Amino acid sequence: MINIVTGSKLVIDNGKEKVDMCKAIQEMREDARLEGENMGIIKGARDANTETAKKVLALGKLSFDEIAAIYNLTPEEVQKLAEEI
């Protein structure tokens, strides 16, 4: 029931183990914090790539496909960036 309500993945042997709910909640909060931190790092890196790609687009030296490959974007994303500058 705990796993269903909390969305956690606790493994409990029936009748053989007690679950410290405070510890379980603390672990879930830590997992959520780490997940959010990782998502922020990924978003920050992606935003930096996007801003740099815009600068490269403004130079007009590389194709959309080249910029997409270098900055881990799709050609469609590069096209949208080009429309923003």
Side-chain angles (χ1 to χ4, degrees), residues 25-41:
I25 291 169
Q26 186 177 15
E27 288 174 1
M28 288 186 325
R29 291 177 73 192
E30 180 65 11
D31 288 347
R33 185 192 67 76
L34 289 172
E35 184 178 341
E37 188 176 289
N38 288 335
M39 289 173 62
I41 290 168

Side-chain angles (χ1 to χ4, degrees), residues 47-65:
D47 289 349
N49 276 354
T50 299
E51 288 306 311
T52 306
K54 282 183 183 180
K55 292 175 184 176
V56 173
L57 272 168
L59 294 173
K61 303 277 184 180
L62 299 175
S63 71
F64 288 179
D65 289 335

